[in-house]
Amino acid sequence: MEVWRTLLGVPLLEVHDTLGSTNDRGKLLLREGAPSWGLILAEAQSEGRGRGGKRWYSPPGAGLWFSLLVPARGNAWNSLLPIRVGMALARAGERTLQERGASGTEFLLKWPNDLLLGDRKVGGVLCEKGSEEKLVVGVGINVGSPPGGFQGPLESTAGSVEGLTAVCPARGGFLEAILKEIRDGLEEEGELLSEKELEEYGRRDALLGEKVESEVAGEGVARGLSKTGSLLMEGAEAGLTEVMAGSVFRR
Ligand code: BTN
């Protein structure tokens, strides 16, 4: 374990066979004074959750389910975390697949926190407040195909990296690449997205130009991101609206 902690460059590493939720474990550890950049991994989660209280399917061995303890900054910077972490996941995924000979695969992002391959969701980010000074950044990625496939409502929406690219990256190497990209991405101190970040998001934006429906802003056409990380939506009447919260669906 000490070897992995050193290899991954984290001050604290917990690896569990099963946890309720790595985010809950992260919050508990923060109450006990855990350091920034501590990492909690689970082989499986029994109560894994996504945004909006949705369940996050986390079967054993099939994915990367982890939480990272990230030092908080101002509210504006904190609220950009899901976007910056999403871009880091996409970059790490592409690099890892390229190393396995599957170059040309592009990961897309669906506002605010979905990682996609094509139109299938392969991952997501759940950022939660951990303590006054730290945030818990939870990441779930469907790396391998779960035995029996995705069931129920997930059957038509979810996918795995293995299922969609025919390459199953080793989870250790994938995690190493993700941590590097997250650390590099979060060195960005800006409380607004930079032009470079907006350009990258634009290349990966699965909703750009699509007819969408927002839970809070109704129907419109997605027009990219604002510098504050809101989704820009062009409605029939109100011109451009900034959507800051809630889910958005393709129409
Ligand atoms: C989403 O797409 O809604 C976010 C999914 C986040 C899932 C991860 S898995 C590790 C961490 N622990 C949880 O309970 N959730 C996050």
Side-chain angles (χ1 to χ4, degrees):
M1 184 76 83
E2 188 58 18
V3 174
W4 273 105
R5 195 185 63 70
T6 312
L7 277 175
L8 295 171
V10 292
L12 171 124
L13 174 65
E14 281 197 355
V15 183
H16 297 262
D17 285 339
T18 303
L19 272 181
S21 154
T22 57
N23 270 28
D24 289 343
R25 179 70 188 155
K27 288 179 191 177
L28 185 74
L29 288 173
L30 283 178
R31 284 201 286 279
E32 293 168 2
S36 293
W37 307 108
L39 177 67
I40 303 103
L41 276 162
E43 189 68 4
Q45 295 180 119
S46 54
E47 305 287 332
R49 57 173 189 277
R51 281 179 68 250
K54 286 193 192 136
R55 189 167 171 256
W56 181 262
Y57 180 51
S58 327
L64 277 170
W65 329 124
F66 68 86
S67 299
L68 191 61
L69 310 178
V70 171
R73 299 191 193 183
N75 285 341
W77 187 89
N78 297 346
S79 66
L80 291 176
L81 259 183
I83 306 278
R84 286 186 168 139
V85 171
M87 289 200 278
L89 298 181
R91 286 194 294 269
E94 287 168 10
R95 189 148 61 85
T96 306
L97 286 174
Q98 197 174 8
E99 282 163 13
R100 296 288 312 271
S103 50
T105 307
E106 286 180 354
F107 283 83
L108 301 178
L109 298 165
K110 176 178 166 287
W111 189 89
N113 71 330
D114 293 356
L115 180 71
L116 309 184
L117 277 172
D119 61 357
R120 294 273 167 167
K121 176 160 173 166
V122 296
V125 183
L126 179 68
C127 297
E128 295 181 315
K129 185 174 174 188
S131 67
E132 281 313 312
E133 306 90 33
K134 295 187 185 80
L135 301 158
V136 179
V137 176
V139 172
I141 302 188
N142 306 324
V143 181
S145 303
F150 293 98
Q151 304 290 327
L154 293 182
E155 196 183 345
S156 58
T157 57
S160 69
V161 175
E162 179 185 26
L164 294 159
T165 66
V167 173
C168 190
R171 286 179 296 161
F174 197 177
L175 177 64
E176 219 180 326
I178 289 171
L179 291 179
K180 183 187 175 330
E181 291 292 346
I182 290 181
R183 281 199 208 95
D184 289 354
L186 298 188
E187 271 174 15
E188 180 62 67
E189 290 178 5
E191 301 211 325
L192 294 174
L193 293 170
S194 67
E195 288 304 323
K196 187 165 163 253
E197 288 175 310
L198 285 172
E199 185 276 322
E200 176 178 352
Y201 196 94
R203 273 191 285 121
R204 302 189 182 281
D205 188 348
L207 294 179
L208 195 61
E210 296 276 327
K211 280 193 182 155
V212 291
E213 182 170 350
S214 141
E215 281 175 340
V216 294
E219 291 182 20
V221 176
R223 295 290 184 210
L225 282 194
S226 74
K227 288 188 170 194
T228 56
S230 301
L231 178 74
L232 295 173
M233 242 179 76
E234 190 177 346
E237 283 152 28
L240 274 188
T241 309
E242 286 200 20
V243 182
M244 286 180 274
S247 292
V248 172
F249 309 94
R250 279 202 193 88
R251 296 275 307 150

